[in-house]
Amino acid sequence: MLSERVGKIKPSPTFAMDTKAKAMKAEGIDIVNFGVGEPDFDTPDHIKEAAIKAIRDGFTKYTAVGGIDPLKDAIIEKLKKDNGLDYTREQIIVSCGAKHSLYNIAQACYGPGDEVLIPSPYWVSYPDQVLLNDAVPVFVKTEEKDGFALRPEALEAKITKKTKALILNSPSNPTGGIYDRKTLQAVAEIAVKHNILVVADEIYEKLVYDGHEHVSIGTLGKEIKELSIAVNGFSKSYAMTGWRMGYAAGPKDIVKAMTNIQSQSTASPASMVQKAAIAALTGPQDSVGMMRDEFDRRRKFLVQGLNSIDGISCFTPAGAFYAFPNVSALYGKKAGSRPINNSRDFALYLLEEANIALVHGEVFGDDNYIRISYATSMETIDKAIKRLREAVARLA
Ligand SMILES: *Cc1c(COP(=O)(O)O)cnc(C)c1O
């Protein structure tokens, strides 16, 4: 009874790893969880209160499909102030998470035979969302020595007549790499030259370190603005993963199509969550900076710890909350009789024999790496580094 389409995709592997780790934890095993991509902080109180008030006030009905005007206005204000982007209400759609906005874009813009460029390593949902719409993901490899940013010539080499879009994620999950202005400018020129839509997933924009600057590609000129769509959400900046709230801003015709799709699938995001989102955007922002500073502390501690282990080499991530160490020097070794030949072997070894949960790089498109989420306490990171050091020392 299943469609052919559904045979092409797999469940999100980051959630699969998390499920396995949680099952071990439920058995009483002391797991350190480096797997999940969500902040360990609680949602700030003033945001929760806004949702509670909305429920008490009876704001519990369907709303406009693409979001209520006061929320769209708050998003417009935010995009102007933080990103230097000017949009009108008809150019904004509010969805049930940034992932949902990305899916609406995929449905609105990708079709059979269309090629969608995805820099690799990539976030796990990009290729599957392309496949679900009968389009073809085309990967463009990025290199650690380039900070995992696209080389313009590598991008251009993959463009064909069928190329429809490019999905750009800066700061990146899983690498922590970010695009500087100059590289983005080069990417924008190529997109304009070949008339390619740029989907800019900016969900980690608030989490940048070491003086790096987040640049929205839509600010780099009139032509690229008309060819780009900015996607953002509340999950990462405001620790609101479970609330399911995100948005996109872009060309009117695309946003209108996305809104039509949403009207036939989910309708509006939850009414009270929209009120919480207004509070998040217009209320005090100190919790955002507090979380960023804490992530920064953990980032430095983790990267230093990883680089002190023989056989592991870790790029210093400039953004997001992931470290993406290269562990390929360990391949070919064994733990007793257990061979470690790829990132999956290594991740399973760490889970089963060192009780560290993390995600193998293979699922992000690069088998030489593993992904570690540092959205966890300093104590946990400290404990995990010790376990990791011992686990690696056992390999021969
Ligand atoms: C977490 C994440 C998202 C999805 O966020 P939601 O708003 O929770 O749907 C999108 N893109 C990337 C790269 C992410 O890491």
Side-chain angles (χ1 to χ4, degrees):
M1 294 298 269
L2 296 176
S3 73
E4 189 187 320
R5 185 185 308 118
V6 85
K8 296 187 209 162
I9 66 153
K10 54 194 179 307
S12 167
T14 51
F15 281 124
M17 211 37 145
D18 193 46
T19 305
K20 195 165 163 118
K22 281 184 177 138
M24 287 175 74
K25 198 165 195 159
E27 284 171 34
I29 301 169
D30 172 30
I31 296 279
V32 295
N33 198 344
F34 270 168
V36 282
E38 66 178 347
D40 54 322
F41 303 107
D42 197 3
T43 305
D45 274 335
H46 69 279
I47 299 174
K48 292 183 183 173
E49 289 307 327
I52 293 164
K53 180 171 185 308
I55 295 171
R56 292 231 162 87
D57 290 350
F59 192 72
T60 55
K61 303 291 168 64
Y62 290 133
T63 73
V65 169
I68 56 176
D69 283 343
L71 174 53
K72 286 192 176 183
D73 291 345
I75 291 168
I76 289 167
E77 211 32 57
K78 181 260 173 234
L79 290 171
K80 199 172 295 175
K81 188 162 62 74
D82 293 358
N83 307 87
L85 290 166
D86 261 308
Y87 285 109
T88 59
R89 283 181 188 165
E90 309 81 70
Q91 295 180 293
I92 308 283
I93 176 171
V94 182
S95 309
C96 309
K99 188 182 259 187
H100 185 211
S101 280
L102 288 163
Y103 191 74
N104 284 331
I105 294 170
Q107 285 240 297
C109 299
Y110 317 153
D114 286 344
E115 295 178 355
V116 179
L117 299 170
I118 302 174
S120 131
Y122 47 78
W123 184 52
V124 292
S125 292
Y126 299 143
D128 288 48
Q129 290 196 349
V130 170
L131 290 168
L132 274 173
N133 290 284
D134 304 313
V136 183
V138 174
F139 302 108
V140 191
K141 196 164 172 2
T142 67
E143 304 291 339
E144 182 176 331
K145 62 175 184 299
D146 299 326
F148 293 108
L150 277 175
R151 283 197 180 196
E153 56 280 13
L155 171 64
E156 199 147 26
K158 294 279 183 169
I159 293 175
T160 72
K161 284 198 185 67
K162 292 182 181 161
T163 307
K164 190 72 185 278
L166 162 69
I167 305 177
L168 212 57
N169 176 216
S170 176
S172 154
N173 174 6
T175 67
I178 74 173
Y179 281 76
D180 61 25
R181 189 176 286 275
K182 190 165 153 272
T183 311
L184 270 186
Q185 190 83 54
V187 170
E189 276 167 27
I190 293 168
V192 169
K193 180 173 154 200
H194 297 276
N195 198 37
I196 295 167
L197 177 73
V198 178
V199 178
D201 181 348
E202 307 194 330
I203 193 138
Y204 293 102
E205 61 159 352
K206 300 284 186 192
L207 301 176
V208 292
Y209 315 107
D210 296 337
H212 287 282
E213 163 200 37
H214 168 78
V215 181
S216 293
I217 195 164
T219 59
L220 299 179
K222 190 170 175 294
E223 287 171 303
I224 188 64
K225 185 166 176 233
E226 284 168 9
L227 268 181
S228 58
I229 182 153
V231 176
N232 212 322
F234 297 77
S235 288
K236 312 295 160 56
S237 300
Y238 298 101
M240 290 177 68
T241 48
W243 296 70
R244 310 312 303 128
M245 170 62 49
Y247 56 91
K252 262 188 214 165
D253 57 335
I254 297 179
V255 168
K256 189 172 173 209
M258 291 167 69
T259 310
N260 289 345
I261 290 161
Q262 191 163 294
S263 78
Q264 300 292 12
S265 52
T266 57
S268 74
S271 55
M272 60 292 283
V273 177
Q274 295 188 58
K275 293 283 192 177
I278 295 173
L281 291 175
T282 61
Q285 301 296 306
D286 44 321
S287 55
V288 180
M290 184 280 291
M291 288 188 258
R292 194 212 73 96
D293 292 349
E294 182 57 27
F295 283 135
D296 190 18
R297 237 163 48 90
R298 297 169 181 179
R299 176 185 69 110
K300 290 178 178 141
F301 181 61
L302 172 65
V303 170
Q304 191 183 38
L306 289 169
N307 280 321
S308 75
I309 299 173
D310 262 354
I312 296 184
S313 133
C314 189
F315 160 81
T316 300
F321 45 61
Y322 308 97
F324 200 58
N326 188 321
V327 296
S328 61
L330 302 172
Y331 300 169
K333 295 186 184 239
K334 283 184 174 173
S337 61
R338 180 179 189 141
I340 307 294
N341 289 330
N342 51 48
S343 64
R344 189 187 163 78
D345 289 350
F346 188 54
L348 280 175
Y349 165 64
L350 292 179
L351 181 63
E352 287 162 10
E353 295 188 38
N355 299 334
I356 302 168
L358 45 74
V359 187
H360 46 303
E362 184 206 349
V363 304
F364 306 103
D366 200 325
D367 201 33
N368 289 331
Y369 295 83
I370 54 173
R371 189 194 75 172
I372 295 179
S373 161
Y374 53 86
T376 181
S377 69
M378 289 290 268
E379 298 71 56
T380 306
I381 295 171
D382 191 37
K383 184 154 88 176
I385 292 283
K386 287 185 180 124
R387 286 189 190 179
L388 190 59
R389 192 186 306 284
E390 286 165 23
V392 169
R394 286 201 297 272
L395 299 178

